[in-house]
Amino acid sequence: MLNIRKSGLQTAVQDLGRTGFQRYGVIASGVMDPFAHRIANLLAGNAETSPTLEIALSGPVIEFEADHFIAICGGDLSPSLDGEPLAMWRGHFVRKGSILSFGEPKRGARSYLAVAGSFDVPPVMNSHSTYLRAGIGGFQGRALKNGDSLKTLPISPARLNALKNQNAQTPDWLIPPARYHEQPIVRMMPGRQYALFNEASRLRIFEETFTVSANSDRMGYRLEGPELALEKQEELISEAVAFGSVQVPADGNPIVLLADRQTTGGYPKIGQVASVDLPLISQLKPGESLKFRHISADDAQQLYIEQEQQIRQLKIAIQMKREEWT
């Protein structure tokens, strides 16, 4: 059991999303940074699909009612355990009564807390993700509040002891932190309507700097920068959108669609962010900037394959080490 002494700005249960229901108009939702979520779960001994706590900017204060094993990955929000700085991107044994808290955001906007055994919340449409606007999934369909008690699934004493041994024996080299930059270079493929934009816009999207607007949320990041425009106005039929689709509404300021995106959209899409670079955008804070760089679909797919291979190798290495300690 985790007692939420202070909820933070927005702390909610998320997983990899509510897939398979977008054709019915159901938002996929899920984590904003899938890479950090997956690594945190692996370090905690969970399946990659298990729910984590997504912690945005100003983190919570959490009391542990029992011994636990945890991992925190993603943006560096200055986590500490009982007042002592807590290393990210590795596992930690946490004793009963310990207090986890967060401080100033140093780099990135979101951290992911995984607990061995995972969180005991009921699935909704095969997912534990919280969709805040609809009030479904996660913990009672909402972000955590002060005084909430979040149940965890039990794990055996033998497994907890093995994880405790991991805490004592695993060096920091296990997982290198993800590189979250204040002004990242985000690789993007031309979108379906890229050719409909005028020549100046097709050049600007890959040459100019864009800034994340304060009017941004989990649904999408509105970007401020040079105005983008079509060669001529056209009526477009609404079509499916994806995590990382870059739409351009009539005001000329692009919107990068994120975890809580709508299922379809009628704005022209100038680009599609490569999957491996989605965390770079999701970890940006309002006021921070980015630049897009052209990448082909084939190259984006190759980067995705390479990332999946690295995660698979990491998963095997962690499992082999745990077998040595049990």
Side-chain angles (χ1 to χ4, degrees):
M1 180 86 74
L2 276 61
N3 291 326
I4 311 302
R5 289 190 171 188
K6 181 180 177 182
S7 62
L9 178 64
Q10 187 179 90
T11 304
V13 176
Q14 299 288 355
D15 60 16
L16 291 177
R18 193 165 282 107
T19 58
F21 296 92
Q22 291 185 80
R23 55 185 167 172
Y24 304 118
V26 179
I27 304 299
S29 202
V31 292
M32 291 276 279
D33 184 344
F35 179 78
H37 163 90
R38 294 171 67 187
I39 299 301
N41 267 323
L42 290 179
L43 290 171
N46 298 333
E48 298 169 49
T49 54
S50 297
T52 60
L53 279 185
E54 182 178 83
I55 299 163
L57 291 175
S58 177
V61 177
I62 299 174
E63 178 185 6
F64 293 87
E65 279 200 353
D67 290 350
H68 277 286
F69 190 84
I70 68 171
I72 301 174
C73 296
D76 186 354
L77 308 185
S78 303
S80 62
L81 189 67
D82 294 330
E84 295 295 326
L86 192 68
M88 299 182 61
W89 302 93
R90 64 165 297 173
H92 297 275
F93 179 73
V94 177
R95 295 191 178 280
K96 176 181 178 179
S98 293
I99 303 295
L100 174 67
S101 58
F102 295 80
E104 177 185 0
K106 293 181 179 178
R107 182 62 58 87
R110 293 172 175 84
S111 284
Y112 294 85
L113 169 63
V115 174
S118 196
F119 300 105
D120 187 7
V121 294
V124 176
M125 291 182 239
N126 304 326
S127 172
H128 300 91
S129 282
T130 309
Y131 179 39
L132 297 171
R133 283 188 173 91
I136 62 172
F139 181 84
Q140 300 178 12
R142 59 171 173 81
L144 298 180
K145 296 179 180 179
N146 297 352
D148 282 341
S149 294
L150 183 59
K151 293 182 179 180
T152 57
L153 294 170
I155 63 173
S156 68
R159 182 182 171 195
L160 184 61
N161 188 59
L163 292 168
K164 183 179 178 180
N165 289 337
Q166 172 186 320
N167 181 72
Q169 299 180 44
T170 303
D172 288 331
W173 56 256
L174 221 177
I175 302 293
R179 305 303 182 197
Y180 301 124
H181 305 287
E182 292 181 359
Q183 185 176 311
I185 303 297
V186 176
R187 289 162 289 196
M188 183 178 75
M189 297 163 281
R192 278 174 53 83
Q193 289 80 39
Y194 176 78
L196 299 182
F197 287 84
N198 59 38
E199 184 179 2
S201 297
R202 296 197 301 270
L203 292 174
R204 286 171 182 162
I205 192 66
F206 291 115
E207 294 179 353
E208 302 291 338
T209 299
F210 294 86
T211 302
V212 179
S213 165
N215 188 22
S216 298
D217 56 19
R218 281 178 44 87
M219 184 176 182
Y221 273 11
R222 294 180 178 270
L223 304 181
E224 298 172 345
E227 183 177 320
L228 307 177
L230 297 173
E231 188 69 49
K232 61 179 181 179
Q233 292 300 317
E234 296 193 23
E235 291 292 330
L236 300 176
I237 297 175
S238 293
E239 59 186 15
V241 294
F243 199 161
S245 293
V246 183
Q247 293 186 324
V248 181
D251 65 5
N253 291 313
I255 302 172
V256 184
L257 300 182
L258 300 174
D260 284 350
R261 65 198 176 277
Q262 71 274 24
T263 57
T264 62
Y267 292 133
K269 296 187 289 296
I270 196 169
Q272 174 66 43
V273 174
S275 296
V276 295
D277 283 352
L278 289 173
L280 297 180
I281 289 185
S282 298
Q283 290 290 352
L284 286 174
K285 298 185 283 291
E288 294 183 337
S289 301
L290 66 108
K291 295 187 75 171
F292 292 109
R293 189 178 76 189
H294 180 278
I295 189 173
S296 68
D298 287 344
D299 287 344
Q301 289 174 350
Q302 184 59 39
L303 289 173
Y304 177 78
I305 291 171
E306 291 173 1
Q307 176 181 272
E308 291 304 301
Q309 289 173 339
Q310 292 169 358
I311 292 175
R312 190 177 301 112
Q313 291 169 359
L314 170 66
K315 186 175 182 179
I316 293 171
I318 291 175
Q319 184 60 39
M320 289 176 64
K321 281 294 183 183
R322 290 209 176 108
E323 289 176 358
E324 293 177 10
W325 299 326
T326 53

